[in-house]
Every structure is written in C-alpha cells, then in structure tokens.
Amino acid sequence: MSTSKVNRCYLLYCNTSVQFEYLLDKNKWPDKLCDCDYTFDLPRKIPSSYSVVMSNVPTQWDVQSFCDELKLQYKTIIKSERLYVRGGRPIPKIRIDFSSNKELSEILKNKHMLLDDCPTCYPIESYVPPPKVLRCYICQQYDDHVAAYCPNKDKPICFKCGQQHQYNPECQNEICCVHYKGDHMTGNPNCPKKIEIRDLKKLQTNPSSSKISYLSNRNIWTGNSVLHLFGDSATKPTLTKNNPNENVHSLKLLDTIHLNIQSILEQQAELNKHLSDLTLQQNDQAKEIINVNQILNDIVCP
C-alpha cells in the first residue's frame, strides 16, 4: 500500500486468516486514508493453503482468459498460473489462488469446479508446494546451513565455475556445477544433485507414502481368496488341538471376513455409481448428437 501525498509505502502483515481475507477484499477498504489517496496492491504470492490445482486444462489454452471465465462462477478467485515440469514444459494443470478459505473448503469438498453453468467440470486437489532446497551462497552446500552461519567463509566457492575464489558476478571461467560437475551453474533447478535432494525431502515430509503404497498393493486381487479375506494370519499354521483360544481365533476370522465383505460392498456401490454417471453422460452425448443431426438435416442441408 502506498500514499500519494507523502509517497510512502507500507507493508501490512496479518496474524490470522480472518485478517488476511478481510484485507484482500478491496471493497472493504475506504476511498481515502487520512485524506490521502492511496493504491493497494495484492501480494505477489498467496499462501499455499488458499490454492488448489486444477487438472485437465489443455496446455494450448490461455490461462488468464480461462481464469476470467471461472471468476464468473467463483467470485473469490484472485489469479491462476500454469504449472510446469522439469525443463520448462507446460502440463495440463493450473494453480488457482483464492481469497476466501470458506469457498475453497467447499470446492475441495466437491473435488471439482464447474465452468459457468455448463456440465463441464474439472477435477481439483489441494496445492502442495514443492519442497524448498536451501543453498549456502558462500560454500554452495545444500540443506546444511545458510550463508550467515557458513563455517567456510574463508573458502568461498563460485556458483558459476565451481572454483574457490571470491564472489564475482562477472566470472569469465567455464560454467561448471560444483556438485555434479556438469555444464550448468550451481543451484540450477535441473541439477541432478538438487533434484536428488528435493526428492529425498519429499520422502521425509511424507514418510508414510511407502507404507500406504504397500497397503494399497495388498488390496490388489491376486487370485488367492484366503489371503485376500483373512490376510497373512490365515496362511500361518495354527494348532487347533487342545487349543483354548480356538474360539477367539475363529471370532477374529469372522470379524475379518465381515470387514472385508463391507469393504467389497462399498467398492461395488462406488463402482455402480461411477457406471451410472458414465451412462448419464453417454445419454446426454447421444441426445446432443441427435440434436446436431436434426439441425443439419432440417436447416443446413434440408
């Protein structure tokens, strides 16, 4: 925010999400402050908790025009931007920033966004920012310390050539990464060393991913009914002769069967719902084709 008379700029900080949403609404700001005209600029970056990722947006589309159409349906959209992968290649996903956490929560609950009032919808998911990889600008080490606490201040490494000399932004030596010894500068997003550290941080921030993938693989049908219904406990030999816990073991197996049957029924119901939705979509498309044929036969080519 800046004023015109004294030409001063003010940077405002928020303590809560309520304050943040209130200040983002330009309609709630007065026309003047202390009889001074002022300008109000939105922050360049919105917290990731106010963002979603929309899929299936063709890379040929103009994101700004598409966002303007979405604003007709969702009033609290601030901006949107195309997402890219390594090498700067665009992908059919865009990030959309909102100013209202309430509307954002409803959208995430529905798991899709509509374009105007037409039946075209786009799947959405929460935006998860990529993990940041810190780099010391003195010794060029990754994720160990920052320049203010560098233990090698007397041995600086050039980020351009990877050699040991004082900082020189106009270094004329051959470009070489100090980590990978490749023909790129240290800190390049496509550096294999930086990619390796970023992938490692992803695993550290989500340590249960390997466990989840293991459990999801356990649900894949393998043709073994006993293993699928009872689990590993059914494959282990048990002594039933003179076993006082035989009834307890049988009850546990029955509970396991009951839980697995419920899970199968839920999956079947979800599959039936999905098939019903596909059938409705096919019927709608068939009606549109019939209408187009009628228009072609009656008007265009009578």
Side-chain angles (χ1 to χ4, degrees), residues 185-199:
M185 293 187 293
T186 305
N188 190 301
N190 296 321
C191 176
K193 181 65 176 179
K194 191 171 185 177
I195 294 174
E196 178 185 351
I197 295 177
R198 185 184 294 113
D199 293 340

Side-chain angles (χ1 to χ4, degrees), residues 281-293:
Q281 292 179 5
Q282 289 179 351
N283 293 336
D284 293 338
Q285 292 176 357
K287 291 179 181 178
E288 292 180 1
I289 293 174
I290 293 174
N291 293 333
V292 171
N293 289 333

Side-chain angles (χ1 to χ4, degrees), residues 37-229:
D37 295 328
Y38 68 94
T39 59
F40 173 72
D41 298 325
L42 292 174
R44 291 183 299 174
K45 293 184 178 180
I46 302 296
S48 58
S49 58
Y50 283 83
S51 304
V52 297
V53 174
M54 176 183 288
S55 304
N56 300 338
V57 182
T59 56
Q60 299 85 357
W61 287 10
D62 181 65
V63 176
Q64 185 60 43
S65 301
F66 182 66
C67 181
D68 292 339
E69 294 186 22
L70 287 175
K71 287 181 180 179
L72 300 176
Q73 186 79 4
Y74 305 95
K75 305 298 183 181
T76 61
I77 291 180
I78 299 178
K79 63 177 182 177
S80 62
E81 59 180 342
R82 175 73 63 181
L83 297 183
Y84 298 85
V85 294
R86 298 169 186 170
R89 181 173 61 87
I91 59 177
K93 290 185 177 182
I94 62 174
R95 172 183 173 178
I96 304 176
D97 298 332
F98 290 81
S99 62
S100 171
N101 195 25
K102 181 179 179 181
E103 184 175 29
L104 180 63
S105 300
E106 294 178 356
I107 293 174
L108 289 174
K109 184 178 180 180
N110 296 329
K111 297 183 179 180
H112 67 268
M113 292 179 64
L114 296 174
L115 182 61
D116 294 334
D117 294 328
C118 61
T120 305
C121 64
Y122 298 88
I124 61 100
E125 58 185 346
S126 299
Y127 174 75
V128 180
K132 294 183 178 180
V133 180
L134 298 178
R135 175 170 62 92
C136 174
Y137 294 106
I138 296 179
C139 67
Q140 310 304 328
Q141 290 295 319
Y142 284 125
D143 263 5
D144 185 68
H145 57 269
V146 294
Y149 304 100
C150 180
N152 303 311
K153 291 184 178 180
D154 56 338
K155 298 178 181 179
I157 302 296
C158 179
F159 72 98
K160 284 189 175 182
C161 65
Q163 300 179 17
Q164 182 178 334
H165 63 75
Q166 293 295 330
Y167 172 74
N168 181 13
E170 299 179 358
C171 176
Q172 300 298 324
N173 296 333
E174 183 179 359
I175 294 178
C176 180
C177 175
V178 67
H179 299 288
Y180 191 69
K181 305 302 180 183
D183 55 349
H184 58 267
M185 293 187 293
T186 305
N188 190 301
N190 296 321
C191 176
K193 181 65 176 179
K194 191 171 185 177
I195 294 174
E196 178 185 351
I197 295 177
R198 185 184 294 113
D199 293 340
L200 181 61
K201 294 191 70 173
K202 288 181 180 179
L203 294 177
Q204 292 175 349
T205 54
N206 190 14
S208 60
S209 59
S210 58
K211 182 178 180 180
I212 293 175
S213 62
Y214 168 74
L215 293 176
S216 61
N217 291 333
R218 286 290 307 275
N219 291 328
I220 298 176
W221 179 256
T222 59
N224 190 339
S225 303
V226 177
L227 179 62
H228 189 74
L229 291 176

Side-chain angles (χ1 to χ4, degrees), residues 233 238 243-256:
S233 60
T238 56
N243 187 1
N245 296 325
E246 180 179 359
N247 293 333
V248 177
H249 180 69
S250 300
L251 291 175
K252 289 183 178 180
L253 289 179
L254 290 175
D255 291 339
T256 304

